[in-house]
Amino acid sequence: MSTNYDLTLQKKTEILLNEHVYPMLKHYPNAEKFALCQEIKQTFYRILRNCALFKNAAAQHKMPYLRAIDAELQYGKILFNISRDQRYITKKKAYFLQMQMEELGRILGGLMRSVRTY
């Protein structure tokens, strides 16, 4: 039951992390390097980890990994809102990141629907 959605979710997460999040985090103040920055990175790592676990899980055990990814996406949005409120990122950058996270959420929703039908 491997679909293109699971690969797409993982690849788009990697691209978002490497091309947008890492460069953005370099501009955070030093006081946040081991707090907010670390939490944002860990959120993305957990998403990628759950993508890998999802791909290798038996069909009847896939849904918990998708729910974990959904929770991490929601948490990531909250962290980006905090970054915006603290003025570590601009409103435009925060909006862009929110849209990217919502795209990942739509892909995830498709995966959840396909897992439920099995």
Side-chain angles (χ1 to χ4, degrees):
M1 187 200 95
S2 182
T3 64
N4 287 336
Y5 282 127
D6 56 352
L7 182 61
T8 302
L9 179 63
Q10 181 178 342
K11 282 312 266 181
K12 286 194 180 258
T13 303
E14 289 175 19
I15 290 168
L16 179 61
L17 180 62
N18 288 322
E19 293 181 5
H20 300 285
V21 175
Y22 277 143
M24 176 194 70
L25 293 178
K26 290 180 183 177
H27 299 290
Y28 276 53
N30 284 338
E32 291 294 346
K33 292 289 184 206
F34 297 106
L36 187 57
C37 292
Q38 188 66 24
E39 198 64 32
I40 290 170
K41 286 190 277 187
Q42 288 299 318
T43 299
F44 277 91
Y45 297 153
R46 286 188 297 264
I47 291 170
L48 291 171
R49 180 178 187 274
N50 281 311
C51 284
L53 292 169
F54 166 80
K55 287 196 306 189
N56 293 317
Q60 66 271 22
H61 301 296
K62 288 184 180 274
M63 191 57 83
Y65 297 112
L66 296 179
R67 288 191 186 115
I69 293 170
D70 186 44
E72 294 296 336
L73 287 174
Q74 294 303 315
Y75 186 53
K77 288 179 187 178
I78 292 167
L79 294 174
F80 290 137
N81 284 339
I82 291 170
S83 296
R84 183 199 62 221
D85 293 343
Q86 294 298 315
R87 296 192 176 139
Y88 300 147
I89 59 175
T90 64
K91 288 181 181 181
K92 183 178 178 182
K93 186 67 170 179
Y95 179 77
F96 171 79
L97 291 167
Q98 292 284 340
M99 291 298 106
Q100 295 298 308
M101 297 293 269
E102 286 181 16
E103 181 181 356
L104 294 176
R106 286 190 293 275
I107 294 168
L108 180 63
L111 273 171
M112 288 177 141
R113 280 189 296 281
S114 71
V115 167
R116 279 191 201 125
T117 59
Y118 256 76

